[in-house]
Amino acid sequence: METKGETMRTLKTMNSFDGASAVPPVHTEKEFMGLEEKYGAANYHPLPLVIARARGAWVQDPSGNRYLDMLSSYSALNQGHRHPRIIAALKAQADRVTLTSRAFHNDQLGPFLEQLSELSGFDMILPMNTGAEAVETGIKACRKWAYSVKGVEPGKAEIITAADNFHGRTTTIVGFSTEAQYQDGFGPFTPGFKNVPFGDADALEAAITPNTAAFLVEPIQAEGGIIIPPAGYFQRVRELCTEHNVLLFMDEIQTGLGRTGRFLACEHEGVRPDCISLGKALGGGVYPVSAFLADKEVMDVFSPGDHGSTFGGNPMGAAVARAALDVIKDEGLAARAERLGTQVMNRLSKASSSVVEDVRGRGLLIGIEIKKEVGPARPFCEALMKRGLLCKETHAQVIRLAPPLNIDEDDLGWAVDEILEVLG
Ligand SMILES: *Cc1c(COP(=O)(O)O)cnc(C)c1O
Protein backbone atom coordinates (compact mmCIF):
# COMPACT_ATOMS: atom_id res chain seq x y z
CA MET A 1 0.00 0.00 0.00
CA GLU A 2 1.29 3.42 -0.82
CA THR A 3 -0.92 6.19 0.47
CA LYS A 4 -4.22 4.43 1.29
CA GLY A 5 -5.95 7.77 1.09
CA GLU A 6 -4.17 8.95 4.22
CA THR A 7 -3.57 12.47 3.01
CA MET A 8 -4.32 15.48 5.17
CA ARG A 9 -7.46 16.10 3.21
CA THR A 10 -8.88 12.64 3.65
CA LEU A 11 -8.04 12.56 7.33
CA LYS A 12 -10.15 15.64 7.81
CA THR A 13 -13.32 13.83 6.90
CA MET A 14 -12.19 10.55 8.40
CA ASN A 15 -12.35 12.14 11.85
CA SER A 16 -16.09 11.75 11.69
CA PHE A 17 -15.81 8.06 10.88
CA ASP A 18 -17.20 6.22 13.85
CA GLY A 19 -17.27 2.53 14.66
CA ALA A 20 -13.54 2.16 14.06
CA SER A 21 -13.25 0.45 17.40
CA ALA A 22 -10.33 -1.73 18.36
CA VAL A 23 -12.14 -5.09 18.31
CA PRO A 24 -9.61 -7.35 16.59
CA PRO A 25 -11.04 -9.24 13.62
CA VAL A 26 -11.44 -13.02 14.07
CA HIS A 27 -10.04 -13.63 10.61
CA THR A 28 -7.43 -11.91 8.52
CA GLU A 29 -8.47 -10.29 5.23
CA LYS A 30 -6.91 -13.22 3.43
CA GLU A 31 -8.99 -15.68 5.43
CA PHE A 32 -12.22 -13.79 4.73
CA MET A 33 -11.48 -13.86 1.02
CA GLY A 34 -10.56 -17.55 1.25
CA LEU A 35 -13.88 -18.39 2.90
CA GLU A 36 -15.82 -16.67 0.12
CA GLU A 37 -13.75 -18.47 -2.44
CA LYS A 38 -14.20 -21.87 -0.81
CA TYR A 39 -17.90 -21.70 0.06
CA GLY A 40 -19.27 -19.08 -2.31
CA ALA A 41 -20.21 -19.60 -5.95
CA ALA A 42 -17.62 -17.99 -8.20
CA ASN A 43 -20.09 -15.72 -10.00
CA TYR A 44 -18.14 -12.54 -9.12
CA HIS A 45 -14.52 -11.43 -9.46
CA PRO A 46 -14.16 -8.86 -6.65
CA LEU A 47 -11.17 -6.63 -6.07
CA PRO A 48 -9.05 -8.07 -3.23
CA LEU A 49 -10.47 -5.95 -0.42
CA VAL A 50 -12.59 -6.84 2.61
CA ILE A 51 -14.93 -4.12 3.86
CA ALA A 52 -15.77 -4.29 7.54
CA ARG A 53 -17.11 -0.82 8.28
CA ALA A 54 -18.37 2.16 6.37
CA ARG A 55 -19.78 5.63 6.71
CA GLY A 56 -20.67 8.23 4.12
CA ALA A 57 -18.33 7.80 1.17
CA TRP A 58 -15.69 5.94 3.17
CA VAL A 59 -15.16 2.25 3.90
CA GLN A 60 -12.63 0.50 6.08
CA ASP A 61 -11.06 -2.96 6.01
CA PRO A 62 -10.60 -5.12 9.13
CA SER A 63 -7.03 -3.82 9.59
CA GLY A 64 -8.18 -0.22 9.59
CA ASN A 65 -7.15 0.85 6.07
CA ARG A 66 -9.62 3.35 4.63
CA TYR A 67 -10.87 3.72 1.11
CA LEU A 68 -13.04 6.24 -0.68
CA ASP A 69 -15.98 4.43 -2.31
CA MET A 70 -16.38 5.68 -5.89
CA LEU A 71 -18.68 2.82 -6.93
CA SER A 72 -21.46 3.12 -4.35
CA SER A 73 -22.57 -0.47 -4.92
CA TYR A 74 -23.49 0.36 -8.51
CA SER A 75 -25.48 3.47 -7.41
CA ALA A 76 -27.37 1.75 -4.60
CA LEU A 77 -25.62 4.09 -2.15
CA ASN A 78 -26.55 7.50 -3.58
CA GLN A 79 -27.21 8.63 0.00
CA GLY A 80 -23.83 7.28 1.20
CA HIS A 81 -23.13 4.41 3.57
CA ARG A 82 -25.29 4.30 6.70
CA HIS A 83 -26.96 7.67 6.35
CA PRO A 84 -28.07 8.54 9.91
CA ARG A 85 -31.67 9.30 8.90
CA ILE A 86 -32.00 6.05 6.99
CA ILE A 87 -30.42 3.98 9.77
CA ALA A 88 -32.71 5.69 12.31
CA ALA A 89 -35.74 4.75 10.19
CA LEU A 90 -34.49 1.18 9.91
CA LYS A 91 -33.96 0.87 13.66
CA ALA A 92 -37.27 2.48 14.59
CA GLN A 93 -39.17 0.24 12.20
CA ALA A 94 -37.30 -2.85 13.43
CA ASP A 95 -38.76 -2.11 16.86
CA ARG A 96 -42.32 -1.87 15.53
CA VAL A 97 -43.06 -4.40 12.75
CA THR A 98 -40.87 -5.76 9.95
CA LEU A 99 -43.04 -8.00 7.81
CA THR A 100 -46.76 -8.34 7.31
CA SER A 101 -46.98 -9.82 3.79
CA ARG A 102 -49.52 -8.27 1.48
CA ALA A 103 -52.19 -10.51 2.98
CA PHE A 104 -52.71 -7.55 5.35
CA HIS A 105 -52.19 -3.80 5.17
CA ASN A 106 -49.39 -2.05 7.01
CA ASP A 107 -48.92 1.54 8.15
CA GLN A 108 -45.76 2.24 6.10
CA LEU A 109 -46.62 1.10 2.58
CA GLY A 110 -49.38 3.62 1.82
CA PRO A 111 -47.34 6.69 2.87
CA PHE A 112 -44.32 5.36 0.91
CA LEU A 113 -46.36 4.89 -2.27
CA GLU A 114 -47.92 8.35 -1.92
CA GLN A 115 -44.49 9.95 -1.46
CA LEU A 116 -42.98 8.14 -4.44
CA SER A 117 -45.98 8.98 -6.62
CA GLU A 118 -45.66 12.67 -5.74
CA LEU A 119 -41.91 12.72 -6.39
CA SER A 120 -42.04 10.77 -9.66
CA GLY A 121 -45.31 12.03 -11.11
CA PHE A 122 -46.63 8.50 -11.76
CA ASP A 123 -50.14 7.61 -10.54
CA MET A 124 -49.43 4.17 -9.12
CA ILE A 125 -46.67 1.91 -7.90
CA LEU A 126 -46.09 -1.81 -7.51
CA PRO A 127 -43.39 -2.43 -4.87
CA MET A 128 -40.90 -5.29 -5.20
CA ASN A 129 -37.43 -5.98 -3.76
CA THR A 130 -34.69 -6.28 -6.36
CA GLY A 131 -34.23 -4.42 -9.62
CA ALA A 132 -34.68 -7.51 -11.76
CA GLU A 133 -38.05 -8.11 -10.09
CA ALA A 134 -39.17 -4.57 -10.87
CA VAL A 135 -38.25 -5.09 -14.54
CA GLU A 136 -40.03 -8.47 -14.59
CA THR A 137 -43.09 -6.79 -13.08
CA GLY A 138 -42.96 -4.16 -15.82
CA ILE A 139 -42.69 -6.80 -18.52
CA LYS A 140 -45.80 -8.52 -17.15
CA ALA A 141 -47.66 -5.19 -16.96
CA CYS A 142 -46.74 -4.22 -20.54
CA ARG A 143 -47.76 -7.62 -21.91
CA LYS A 144 -51.08 -7.62 -20.08
CA TRP A 145 -51.72 -4.04 -21.19
CA ALA A 146 -51.07 -5.11 -24.79
CA TYR A 147 -53.73 -7.84 -24.55
CA SER A 148 -56.33 -6.10 -22.45
CA VAL A 149 -56.03 -2.49 -23.65
CA LYS A 150 -54.26 -2.43 -27.02
CA GLY A 151 -56.02 -5.56 -28.27
CA VAL A 152 -53.04 -7.69 -29.29
CA GLU A 153 -53.99 -11.30 -30.06
CA PRO A 154 -53.30 -13.68 -27.11
CA GLY A 155 -49.71 -14.91 -26.97
CA LYS A 156 -48.43 -12.45 -29.61
CA ALA A 157 -47.20 -9.48 -27.58
CA GLU A 158 -43.66 -8.32 -28.36
CA ILE A 159 -41.32 -6.14 -26.35
CA ILE A 160 -38.47 -4.32 -28.08
CA THR A 161 -35.23 -3.87 -26.14
CA ALA A 162 -31.93 -2.13 -26.90
CA ALA A 163 -28.66 -3.85 -27.77
CA ASP A 164 -26.11 -3.75 -24.92
CA ASN A 165 -28.91 -3.39 -22.38
CA PHE A 166 -28.65 -4.35 -18.74
CA HIS A 167 -31.89 -5.05 -16.89
CA GLY A 168 -30.92 -7.79 -14.44
CA ARG A 169 -30.16 -11.48 -14.33
CA THR A 170 -33.36 -13.53 -14.42
CA THR A 171 -33.72 -16.08 -17.21
CA THR A 172 -36.26 -13.90 -19.04
CA ILE A 173 -34.10 -10.79 -18.77
CA VAL A 174 -30.81 -12.40 -19.83
CA GLY A 175 -32.76 -13.86 -22.75
CA PHE A 176 -32.82 -10.41 -24.39
CA SER A 177 -29.26 -9.46 -23.39
CA THR A 178 -26.73 -9.09 -26.18
CA GLU A 179 -23.87 -9.99 -23.83
CA ALA A 180 -22.84 -13.53 -24.79
CA GLN A 181 -21.66 -14.44 -21.28
CA TYR A 182 -24.96 -13.45 -19.67
CA GLN A 183 -26.72 -16.03 -21.85
CA ASP A 184 -24.12 -18.75 -22.26
CA GLY A 185 -25.47 -22.01 -20.86
CA PHE A 186 -28.72 -20.55 -19.52
CA GLY A 187 -31.15 -21.07 -22.40
CA PRO A 188 -33.80 -21.72 -23.63
CA PHE A 189 -35.09 -18.19 -23.21
CA THR A 190 -38.49 -16.51 -23.04
CA PRO A 191 -39.76 -15.59 -26.51
CA GLY A 192 -41.39 -12.27 -27.41
CA PHE A 193 -38.39 -9.93 -27.32
CA LYS A 194 -36.28 -8.34 -30.03
CA ASN A 195 -33.30 -6.01 -29.93
CA VAL A 196 -32.58 -2.82 -31.84
CA PRO A 197 -29.39 -0.72 -31.66
CA PHE A 198 -29.40 1.81 -28.79
CA GLY A 199 -29.60 5.40 -30.00
CA ASP A 200 -31.12 4.50 -33.40
CA ALA A 201 -34.75 5.66 -33.59
CA ASP A 202 -35.13 4.53 -37.22
CA ALA A 203 -34.28 0.98 -36.18
CA LEU A 204 -36.92 1.19 -33.46
CA GLU A 205 -39.51 2.42 -35.97
CA ALA A 206 -38.68 -0.43 -38.32
CA ALA A 207 -39.02 -2.98 -35.53
CA ILE A 208 -42.44 -1.85 -34.30
CA THR A 209 -45.36 -4.05 -35.39
CA PRO A 210 -49.04 -4.03 -34.42
CA ASN A 211 -48.07 -6.58 -31.72
CA THR A 212 -45.50 -4.35 -30.04
CA ALA A 213 -46.41 -3.81 -26.39
CA ALA A 214 -43.44 -1.76 -25.21
CA PHE A 215 -39.96 -0.44 -25.79
CA LEU A 216 -37.83 -1.20 -22.73
CA VAL A 217 -34.72 0.99 -22.53
CA GLU A 218 -32.29 2.63 -20.11
CA PRO A 219 -31.94 6.44 -20.36
CA ILE A 220 -28.16 5.95 -20.17
CA GLN A 221 -26.65 2.49 -20.56
CA ALA A 222 -24.67 2.35 -17.34
CA GLU A 223 -23.49 -1.26 -17.27
CA GLY A 224 -23.05 -1.01 -21.01
CA GLY A 225 -20.24 1.52 -20.42
CA ILE A 226 -22.00 4.83 -19.59
CA ILE A 227 -23.43 5.14 -23.09
CA ILE A 228 -25.37 8.38 -23.59
CA PRO A 229 -27.65 8.36 -26.66
CA PRO A 230 -27.48 11.12 -29.28
CA ALA A 231 -29.41 14.34 -28.58
CA GLY A 232 -32.99 14.12 -29.75
CA TYR A 233 -33.08 10.33 -29.69
CA PHE A 234 -35.55 10.03 -26.83
CA GLN A 235 -37.86 12.74 -28.19
CA ARG A 236 -38.13 10.72 -31.39
CA VAL A 237 -38.58 7.49 -29.38
CA ARG A 238 -41.39 9.15 -27.44
CA GLU A 239 -43.08 10.28 -30.66
CA LEU A 240 -42.81 6.81 -32.19
CA CYS A 241 -44.21 5.11 -29.10
CA THR A 242 -47.14 7.52 -28.96
CA GLU A 243 -47.81 7.23 -32.69
CA HIS A 244 -47.84 3.41 -32.62
CA ASN A 245 -49.51 2.98 -29.22
CA VAL A 246 -46.42 1.38 -27.71
CA LEU A 247 -45.53 1.84 -24.03
CA LEU A 248 -42.22 3.57 -23.37
CA PHE A 249 -40.78 1.67 -20.38
CA MET A 250 -37.59 3.24 -19.03
CA ASP A 251 -35.37 1.39 -16.58
CA GLU A 252 -34.15 4.04 -14.10
CA ILE A 253 -32.80 1.55 -11.56
CA GLN A 254 -29.24 2.84 -11.88
CA THR A 255 -29.81 6.30 -13.41
CA GLY A 256 -32.71 7.40 -11.20
CA LEU A 257 -32.94 8.96 -7.75
CA GLY A 258 -30.59 11.88 -8.37
CA ARG A 259 -27.60 10.06 -9.83
CA THR A 260 -27.44 11.94 -13.14
CA GLY A 261 -28.31 15.38 -11.77
CA ARG A 262 -32.10 15.02 -12.00
CA PHE A 263 -34.52 12.98 -9.90
CA LEU A 264 -34.97 10.81 -13.02
CA ALA A 265 -32.50 10.72 -15.91
CA CYS A 266 -35.36 10.91 -18.45
CA GLU A 267 -35.88 14.53 -17.32
CA HIS A 268 -32.68 15.45 -19.19
CA GLU A 269 -34.37 14.29 -22.37
CA GLY A 270 -37.59 16.17 -21.72
CA VAL A 271 -39.62 13.01 -22.23
CA ARG A 272 -42.08 11.31 -19.95
CA PRO A 273 -42.07 7.51 -20.22
CA ASP A 274 -45.30 5.56 -19.67
CA CYS A 275 -43.69 3.49 -16.97
CA ILE A 276 -40.38 3.12 -15.17
CA SER A 277 -38.52 0.77 -12.86
CA LEU A 278 -36.63 1.95 -9.78
CA GLY A 279 -34.43 0.05 -7.34
CA LYS A 280 -30.90 0.32 -5.93
CA ALA A 281 -30.83 3.69 -4.05
CA LEU A 282 -34.58 3.39 -3.34
CA GLY A 283 -33.51 1.18 -0.45
CA GLY A 284 -30.97 3.76 0.76
CA GLY A 285 -28.18 1.21 0.63
CA VAL A 286 -29.56 -0.75 3.56
CA TYR A 287 -32.51 -2.78 2.34
CA PRO A 288 -33.55 -4.10 -1.07
CA VAL A 289 -36.52 -2.04 -2.28
CA SER A 290 -37.58 -1.74 -5.90
CA ALA A 291 -40.70 -0.59 -7.69
CA PHE A 292 -42.52 -0.51 -11.00
CA LEU A 293 -44.26 2.81 -11.58
CA ALA A 294 -46.94 3.65 -14.14
CA ASP A 295 -50.11 5.60 -14.63
CA LYS A 296 -53.50 4.16 -13.76
CA GLU A 297 -54.33 2.97 -17.28
CA VAL A 298 -51.35 0.59 -17.24
CA MET A 299 -51.34 -0.39 -13.56
CA ASP A 300 -55.06 -1.19 -13.71
CA VAL A 301 -54.25 -4.37 -15.66
CA PHE A 302 -53.32 -6.04 -12.36
CA SER A 303 -56.05 -7.80 -10.38
CA PRO A 304 -55.64 -9.60 -7.05
CA GLY A 305 -53.64 -12.78 -7.58
CA ASP A 306 -52.01 -11.69 -10.88
CA HIS A 307 -48.64 -10.93 -9.35
CA GLY A 308 -46.99 -10.76 -5.95
CA SER A 309 -43.96 -10.94 -3.71
CA THR A 310 -43.75 -12.10 -0.09
CA PHE A 311 -41.42 -9.27 0.89
CA GLY A 312 -42.57 -6.67 -1.66
CA GLY A 313 -44.05 -3.64 0.10
CA ASN A 314 -43.01 -4.83 3.55
CA PRO A 315 -43.09 -2.17 6.30
CA MET A 316 -39.32 -2.36 6.93
CA GLY A 317 -38.51 -1.67 3.28
CA ALA A 318 -41.22 0.99 3.01
CA ALA A 319 -39.95 2.84 6.11
CA VAL A 320 -36.38 2.71 4.79
CA ALA A 321 -37.45 3.88 1.32
CA ARG A 322 -39.39 6.82 2.81
CA ALA A 323 -36.21 7.96 4.59
CA ALA A 324 -34.10 7.26 1.49
CA LEU A 325 -36.40 9.50 -0.60
CA ASP A 326 -36.46 12.18 2.12
CA VAL A 327 -32.65 12.34 2.08
CA ILE A 328 -32.50 12.71 -1.71
CA LYS A 329 -35.02 15.54 -1.61
CA ASP A 330 -34.03 17.35 1.59
CA GLU A 331 -30.30 17.29 0.82
CA GLY A 332 -30.83 18.33 -2.79
CA LEU A 333 -28.76 15.38 -3.97
CA ALA A 334 -29.79 15.64 -7.63
CA ALA A 335 -28.60 19.25 -7.86
CA ARG A 336 -25.43 18.28 -6.01
CA ALA A 337 -24.77 15.45 -8.47
CA GLU A 338 -25.16 17.91 -11.32
CA ARG A 339 -22.78 20.47 -9.82
CA LEU A 340 -20.09 18.03 -8.68
CA GLY A 341 -20.40 15.98 -11.86
CA THR A 342 -19.69 19.06 -13.97
CA GLN A 343 -16.57 19.78 -11.90
CA VAL A 344 -15.27 16.24 -12.31
CA MET A 345 -16.02 16.15 -16.04
CA ASN A 346 -14.25 19.48 -16.56
CA ARG A 347 -11.13 18.29 -14.81
CA LEU A 348 -11.09 14.87 -16.44
CA SER A 349 -11.70 16.08 -19.96
CA LYS A 350 -9.05 18.81 -19.75
CA ALA A 351 -6.45 16.32 -18.67
CA SER A 352 -4.63 14.90 -21.65
CA SER A 353 -3.82 11.29 -21.12
CA SER A 354 -2.39 8.98 -23.72
CA VAL A 355 -4.39 6.06 -22.31
CA VAL A 356 -7.87 7.65 -22.37
CA GLU A 357 -10.15 7.11 -25.36
CA ASP A 358 -13.12 9.06 -24.04
CA VAL A 359 -14.63 10.59 -20.90
CA ARG A 360 -18.42 10.84 -20.72
CA GLY A 361 -21.06 11.20 -18.10
CA ARG A 362 -24.05 12.96 -16.67
CA GLY A 363 -24.16 14.12 -13.07
CA LEU A 364 -22.13 11.74 -10.95
CA LEU A 365 -22.39 8.83 -13.38
CA ILE A 366 -19.12 9.07 -15.26
CA GLY A 367 -17.20 6.68 -17.47
CA ILE A 368 -13.52 6.85 -18.42
CA GLU A 369 -12.92 4.67 -21.45
CA ILE A 370 -9.40 3.26 -21.75
CA LYS A 371 -7.95 2.87 -25.24
CA LYS A 372 -8.18 -0.72 -26.49
CA GLU A 373 -4.51 -0.84 -27.44
CA VAL A 374 -3.55 0.10 -23.86
CA GLY A 375 -5.41 -2.91 -22.46
CA PRO A 376 -8.34 -3.39 -20.09
CA ALA A 377 -9.49 -0.96 -17.39
CA ARG A 378 -9.09 -3.35 -14.48
CA PRO A 379 -5.35 -2.70 -13.77
CA PHE A 380 -6.21 1.01 -13.39
CA CYS A 381 -8.89 0.12 -10.83
CA GLU A 382 -6.35 -2.04 -9.00
CA ALA A 383 -3.82 0.81 -8.99
CA LEU A 384 -6.49 3.19 -7.65
CA MET A 385 -7.37 0.73 -4.91
CA LYS A 386 -3.74 0.77 -3.79
CA ARG A 387 -4.09 4.54 -3.45
CA GLY A 388 -7.22 4.21 -1.33
CA LEU A 389 -9.86 4.75 -3.98
CA LEU A 390 -12.45 2.17 -4.97
CA CYS A 391 -13.95 1.93 -8.41
CA LYS A 392 -14.72 -0.90 -10.77
CA GLU A 393 -14.49 -1.42 -14.47
CA THR A 394 -17.68 -2.01 -16.43
CA HIS A 395 -17.17 -4.24 -19.40
CA ALA A 396 -13.50 -4.38 -20.25
CA GLN A 397 -12.59 -0.80 -21.15
CA VAL A 398 -14.55 1.60 -18.95
CA ILE A 399 -13.81 2.81 -15.41
CA ARG A 400 -17.14 3.75 -13.88
CA LEU A 401 -17.17 6.59 -11.35
CA ALA A 402 -20.33 6.77 -9.27
CA PRO A 403 -19.57 8.09 -5.77
CA PRO A 404 -22.25 8.73 -3.14
CA LEU A 405 -24.01 11.97 -4.13
CA ASN A 406 -23.27 13.55 -0.76
CA ILE A 407 -19.52 12.89 -1.02
CA ASP A 408 -17.41 15.65 0.53
CA GLU A 409 -16.26 18.05 -2.18
CA ASP A 410 -12.62 17.93 -1.07
CA ASP A 411 -12.67 14.14 -0.99
CA LEU A 412 -13.99 14.10 -4.53
CA GLY A 413 -11.28 16.55 -5.60
CA TRP A 414 -8.67 14.30 -4.04
CA ALA A 415 -10.15 11.32 -5.91
CA VAL A 416 -9.81 13.16 -9.22
CA ASP A 417 -6.18 14.03 -8.37
CA GLU A 418 -5.44 10.35 -7.81
CA ILE A 419 -7.27 9.27 -10.97
CA LEU A 420 -5.36 11.81 -13.07
CA GLU A 421 -2.08 10.54 -11.64
CA VAL A 422 -2.91 6.91 -12.31
CA LEU A 423 -3.98 7.72 -15.86
CA GLY A 424 -0.70 9.55 -16.32
C1 LIG B 1 -28.73 -3.09 -11.28
C2 LIG B 1 -29.70 -2.96 -12.38
C3 LIG B 1 -30.78 -3.86 -12.53
C4 LIG B 1 -30.93 -5.08 -11.67
O1 LIG B 1 -31.07 -4.81 -10.31
P1 LIG B 1 -30.83 -5.98 -9.25
O2 LIG B 1 -31.23 -5.37 -7.95
O3 LIG B 1 -29.38 -6.35 -9.30
O4 LIG B 1 -31.71 -7.12 -9.64
C5 LIG B 1 -31.68 -3.62 -13.55
N1 LIG B 1 -31.55 -2.58 -14.38
C6 LIG B 1 -30.53 -1.70 -14.27
C7 LIG B 1 -30.45 -0.55 -15.22
C8 LIG B 1 -29.56 -1.87 -13.29
O5 LIG B 1 -28.54 -1.02 -13.20
Side-chain angles (χ1 to χ4, degrees):
M1 299 269 152
E2 286 146 39
T3 60
K4 294 185 195 108
E6 302 284 325
T7 65
M8 290 302 286
R9 190 182 284 133
T10 59
L11 284 171
K12 187 194 79 182
T13 52
M14 289 311 299
N15 289 337
S16 63
F17 187 100
D18 65 6
S21 61
V23 184
V26 225
H27 295 285
T28 63
E29 278 91 341
K30 239 190 152 138
E31 285 166 344
F32 282 121
M33 291 190 265
L35 288 170
E36 285 190 22
E37 211 162 281
K38 181 166 179 203
Y39 297 105
N43 59 327
Y44 275 93
H45 180 32
L47 288 168
L49 162 73
V50 177
I51 296 173
R53 292 178 183 276
R55 176 162 186 178
W58 289 92
V59 304
Q60 181 177 290
D61 73 11
S63 312
N65 300 309
R66 286 145 181 190
Y67 299 84
L68 188 63
D69 184 355
M70 294 286 283
L71 177 66
S72 307
S73 297
Y74 310 98
S75 296
L77 287 158
N78 288 1
Q79 304 90 340
H81 290 270
R82 297 172 51 240
H83 191 291
R85 281 180 76 180
I86 300 172
I87 296 298
L90 177 87
K91 287 181 174 170
Q93 193 57 39
D95 283 337
R96 297 176 64 224
V97 59
T98 58
L99 186 62
T100 55
S101 83
R102 297 291 300 278
F104 312 105
H105 296 276
N106 70 68
D107 68 357
Q108 294 299 311
L109 179 57
F112 160 51
L113 300 181
E114 179 185 42
Q115 184 179 357
L116 186 52
S117 169
E118 279 167 6
L119 279 170
S120 66
F122 288 95
D123 295 342
M124 299 177 96
I125 292 138
L126 199 158
M128 297 294 281
N129 312 284
T130 66
E133 288 175 310
V135 173
E136 287 273 356
T137 300
I139 289 169
K140 288 170 83 172
C142 292
R143 283 181 165 185
K144 197 150 193 194
W145 173 87
Y147 300 124
S148 59
V149 179
K150 185 169 174 172
V152 172
E153 220 179 289
K156 292 271 166 70
E158 295 166 353
I159 292 177
I160 301 173
T161 56
D164 301 316
N165 66 72
F166 183 82
H167 298 290
R169 301 291 205 147
T170 65
T171 40
T172 287
I173 291 172
V174 299
F176 54 78
S177 172
T178 54
E179 188 68 27
Q181 197 200 349
Y182 293 178
Q183 294 196 329
D184 188 26
F186 301 127
F189 299 114
T190 311
F193 296 92
K194 61 182 169 193
N195 270 299
V196 297
F198 183 64
D200 182 346
D202 292 338
L204 172 65
E205 183 168 29
I208 291 173
T209 74
N211 292 332
T212 306
F215 179 43
L216 166 60
V217 65
E218 299 151 88
I220 295 171
Q221 291 188 322
E223 296 303 307
I226 324 293
I227 311 297
I228 301 171
Y233 169 64
F234 274 110
Q235 277 103 319
R236 183 92 184 94
V237 165
R238 176 68 273 179
E239 283 164 19
L240 288 170
C241 287
T242 304
E243 187 186 326
H244 296 279
N245 199 21
V246 167
L247 297 174
L248 176 54
F249 175 8
M250 288 173 84
D251 182 348
E252 292 261 14
I253 289 169
Q254 190 159 162
T255 52
L257 305 175
R259 172 56 56 190
T260 69
R262 299 284 188 279
F263 183 70
L264 299 175
C266 63
E267 294 169 41
H268 287 286
E269 311 287 347
V271 300
R272 187 176 188 272
D274 299 292
C275 42
I276 64 168
S277 48
L278 289 176
K280 295 203 163 104
L282 190 56
V286 304
Y287 202 94
V289 183
S290 70
F292 173 69
L293 298 82
D295 284 337
K296 196 170 179 330
E297 189 211 39
V298 173
M299 205 64 95
D300 270 352
V301 302
F302 287 116
S303 308
D306 280 354
H307 189 53
S309 162
T310 305
F311 278 82
N314 73 77
M316 191 77 158
V320 163
R322 290 174 72 187
L325 290 169
D326 281 340
V327 167
I328 292 168
K329 185 162 175 265
D330 296 349
E331 297 186 8
L333 291 187
R336 199 158 195 283
E338 168 114 319
R339 185 169 63 80
L340 297 185
T342 305
Q343 287 176 13
V344 174
M345 284 295 290
N346 283 343
R347 288 193 60 200
L348 288 177
S349 38
K350 267 195 220 114
S352 59
S353 165
S354 54
V355 303
V356 175
E357 174 74 35
D358 188 26
V359 178
R360 50 186 179 256
R362 214 163 248 176
L364 281 173
L365 182 62
I366 294 169
I368 304 170
E369 184 174 343
I370 304 296
K371 283 185 180 147
K372 273 235 167 64
E373 60 267 30
V374 172
R378 189 173 168 105
F380 293 95
C381 297
E382 286 165 352
L384 286 167
M385 194 187 102
K386 292 204 176 105
R387 290 165 174 258
L389 199 155
L390 302 182
C391 53
K392 187 88 166 52
E393 76 279 7
T394 181
H395 283 73
Q397 296 312 125
V398 181
I399 305 172
R400 166 180 21 202
L401 303 178
L405 307 184
N406 50 13
I407 186 173
D408 179 271
E409 225 170 305
D410 289 344
D411 290 344
L412 185 61
W414 169 78
V416 178
D417 295 342
E418 298 294 314
I419 290 165
L420 290 174
E421 266 184 46
V422 163
L423 293 174

